[in-house]
Amino acid sequence: IQPCEQRRKRHMTYTHNRPQPGSRLQPLLLLLVCLASSPAVLSMPESLRGEGTGTTADHAAVMGNTPALDLSAFSTIEQLIPELTEKRVVFIGEQHTRYDHHLTQFEIIRRLHERNPNLAIGMETFQQPFQPALDDFISGATDEHEMLRATEYYKRWRMDYRLYAPILRYAQEHGLPVVALNLPAELTRQVGRHGIEGLSDEARARLPAEIDRSDAAYRERVRQVFMHHPNDRGQSFEHFLEVQLLWDEGMAERAARFLEANPDHQLVVIAGNGHVAWGSAIPRRLTRRLPVETATIVNSWDGTVEPGIADYLLLPEEQSLPPAGKIGAVLEEVDEAVAVETCLDDSPCAIAGIRRGDRITSIDDATISNLTELRLAMWYRQPGDTIRVGILRPRRLLKDKVMTHEMTLK
C-alpha cells in the first residue's frame, strides 16, 4: 500500500476553493468493485492453531487467501460517473468534518446533474420537519441565512456550514430538490433515554412504519460503536441500538417516499460513512421498501479495507476549510445571553478590552441572545473582516454599562 500512497501523493495538486465546472479532481482514487469479490476473513488451518505447530509450507499456504488489489484498476470520479448514472440512488458517505469528503460529494453531484437534470439530493444534515424551509430556500423565497435559521441548523447539526455550502448553493442555483432525511432529534432523544417501549402514543405515531432488527452483523457493528461511545448517563445498548435503527429506517423511509413521488428523479444521498458502509444501514432498508438499483460510495474508510464495505472507496487527500474569522473568546450561554468566559491572549476580544462576564448583545445589525444567533452572525466572516460588537457589562452597584467595540477578526 505504501508505494501506491507515495505515487498518489506525487501526482496530487489540490485547491482549497470550491471545484469549478470542468475540474477533474483527478487524484481522487477509487478502490473499484473488485473488492467485493475478495475474501473478507482469513481462517487459520487446524495445523497452525497449536502453539509451535505447522511447517513453513503451512504458514505460507494460509496467506494464499490474502486479498490483493490490482493497482492498475484505480480510476477517477470522472470515469466512475457513467456507471453511477445508471443507478436510481447513489449513496455517498462522509466523515462530517472532512472538507474533502464534501468536495467529492459535490463533484459527483455536479457531474451526475450534467447528465441528468432530474437530480435530487437527500441529506442526513437536515431533519424532516424542516422540509418546508429547505423548499423555500431552493425556490429562492429565502436566502442562505434565513434557511439556516429556519432549519435550526446550528442547534441541530452544528457542523461548520461552510462544509455543505457548495452543495446547497449548487442545488439552489439549479433548482435541485433537497430532501431532509433525518428524524427529529426530539424523537431520537426520547428513544435514547427510554427506548421505543417508553414512548407515548403520539411519539410512536412518528416512528418509521417498519423497523427491521434481523441483521445480526448490523447489530454487532453498532455494539462496537457503543463500546467506544461516551456513556456518562448509563444508556443501555438496546436503547442505543434503537436510536441507530430509527435513524437508518427513518432516512430510508423518507428517501423511498421521495422516489415514489418522483419516479423520474435520481437521488444522491449524502450521510455519514456509518449510514452507508456495508449497505445494511440506509441502503438495504431503502431497497426493502422500494426495489431500485443503487451504488454505495465511502470516503476515507478508517477501518480495515475489506470486501463488502461499499461498491467504491474514495481516497481524497485531506483538506481543511479556509480559516474562519474569529473574535478569540471562550463564550457560554447564561440567562438568555452570550457571556464571555475569557478572551484569548492577543485576540480581537482582548485588544478591545472585553472582560470576563461581559455579554455580547449584537454583531453589526444582528441581535445576539444565544450561541446559535452568534454562529449565524459569524459563520461567513473571514480573518481581516471588521465587525461592530455590542457589549453589556453587568455592574452590581452602578447601572449596567452599554458599549460598542469595533474589532478586526483574526
Side-chain angles (χ1 to χ4, degrees):
I1 295 176
Q2 185 61 29
C4 172
E5 176 70 11
Q6 291 170 350
R7 184 181 69 177
R8 181 168 66 88
K9 288 185 177 180
R10 283 199 303 270
H11 292 281
M12 286 182 181
T13 57
Y14 284 89
T15 174
H16 288 285
N17 297 322
R18 168 178 170 177
Q20 298 300 313
S23 65
R24 292 175 60 86
L25 288 185
Q26 187 74 17
L28 301 176
L29 304 180
L30 308 166
L31 288 178
L32 300 178
V33 290
C34 60
L35 289 176
S37 61
S38 303
V41 180
L42 302 180
S43 60
M44 182 176 287
E46 292 292 335
S47 62
L48 299 185
R49 290 180 182 169
E51 186 174 341
T53 64
T55 65
T56 300
D58 292 328
H59 284 261
V62 73
M63 303 310 292
N65 287 333
T66 300
L69 301 178
D70 180 0
L71 300 185
S72 67
F74 274 14
S75 184
T76 64
I77 284 179
E78 182 178 26
Q79 293 165 327
L80 179 61
I81 294 301
E83 298 179 34
L84 297 182
T85 301
E86 301 302 316
K87 307 300 182 182
R88 184 79 193 281
V89 185
V90 177
F91 297 91
I92 315 175
E94 67 186 49
Q95 295 173 25
H96 298 315
T97 58
R98 285 279 298 266
Y99 183 43
D100 45 296
H101 290 186
H102 300 292
L103 293 180
T104 64
Q105 291 170 334
F106 173 72
E107 182 69 359
I108 292 172
I109 287 168
R110 188 182 67 80
R111 289 181 178 272
L112 287 176
H113 178 241
E114 287 176 348
R115 290 170 171 255
N116 179 10
N118 293 324
L119 186 74
I121 306 166
M123 299 185 68
E124 176 194 4
T125 311
F126 297 101
Q127 296 174 15
Q128 294 175 20
F130 301 97
Q131 185 65 55
L134 284 177
D135 294 342
D136 286 344
F137 172 69
I138 295 301
S139 72
T142 58
D143 61 16
E144 206 165 31
H145 191 84
E146 183 54 36
M147 179 271 291
L148 292 173
R149 183 190 304 278
T151 59
E152 300 181 9
Y153 178 89
Y154 282 116
K155 177 180 179 182
R156 295 174 179 270
W157 192 247
R158 300 180 182 178
M159 305 293 172
D160 192 325
Y161 172 69
R162 296 179 300 158
L163 295 164
Y164 298 92
I167 293 172
L168 286 157
R169 289 169 181 171
Y170 184 85
Q172 186 191 53
E173 179 184 354
H174 296 280
L176 305 186
V178 174
V179 184
L181 295 179
N182 219 334
L183 291 176
E186 292 83 355
L187 180 61
T188 54
R189 193 178 300 121
Q190 288 181 56
V191 172
R193 292 172 180 168
H194 309 296
I196 290 176
E197 290 299 320
L199 295 178
S200 65
D201 290 342
E202 180 183 359
R204 282 173 174 271
R206 301 162 69 192
L207 296 175
E210 304 173 15
I211 299 177
D212 180 8
R213 302 170 180 262
S214 65
D215 190 333
Y218 173 92
R219 179 185 179 91
E220 181 55 30
R221 284 192 289 272
V222 173
R223 184 184 297 278
Q224 293 303 315
V225 174
F226 176 76
M227 290 172 60
H228 296 90
H229 195 271
N231 193 18
D232 297 337
R233 298 181 180 180
Q235 183 186 33
S236 74
F237 168 69
E238 291 302 323
H239 291 174
F240 184 84
L241 174 64
E242 287 184 335
V243 171
Q244 306 303 313
L245 284 166
L246 285 188
W247 277 330
D248 291 328
E249 294 283 8
M251 288 191 278
E253 182 178 80
R254 178 68 185 96
R257 287 205 312 268
F258 176 85
L259 291 168
E260 288 176 321
N262 299 272
D264 59 336
H265 273 66
Q266 183 183 31
L267 180 65
V268 174
V269 172
I270 60 177
N273 275 341
H275 295 294
V276 175
W278 306 107
S280 60
I282 305 174
R284 284 204 287 270
R285 296 173 195 277
L286 187 155
T287 56
R288 191 184 75 232
R289 294 170 164 87
L290 188 68
V292 293
E293 291 291 320
T294 68
T296 55
I297 303 171
V298 166
N299 264 298
S300 306
W301 187 244
D302 280 341
T304 302
V305 175
E306 56 184 296
I309 294 172
D311 296 319
Y312 305 97
L313 173 61
L314 304 187
L315 302 173
E317 183 80 355
E318 187 164 359
Q319 298 188 54
S320 299
L321 284 165
K326 296 180 179 180
I327 294 173
V330 178
L331 307 172
E332 61 177 347
E333 284 190 21
V334 291
D335 302 328
E336 297 185 354
V338 174
V340 175
E341 180 70 19
T342 186
C343 289
L344 305 182
D345 292 342
D346 197 33
S347 66
C349 175
I351 293 171
I354 296 173
R355 303 176 186 172
R356 174 185 174 89
D358 285 353
R359 270 57 166 168
I360 298 177
T361 59
S362 65
I363 294 178
D364 290 339
D365 296 327
T367 300
I368 306 299
S369 59
N370 52 53
L371 289 174
T372 295
E373 294 293 338
L374 185 137
R375 295 187 73 179
L376 283 170
M378 290 293 297
W379 72 266
Y380 57 92
R381 311 282 185 168
Q382 300 177 15
D385 287 354
T386 298
I387 60 173
R388 297 187 320 277
V389 181
I391 295 293
L392 176 69
R393 178 168 295 166
R395 297 191 288 190
R396 292 183 179 179
L397 301 179
L398 301 174
K399 184 179 180 180
D400 292 347
K401 187 175 182 179
V402 178
M403 301 171 285
T404 299
H405 293 281
E406 189 173 276
M407 60 178 67
T408 301
L409 303 178
K410 289 189 175 181

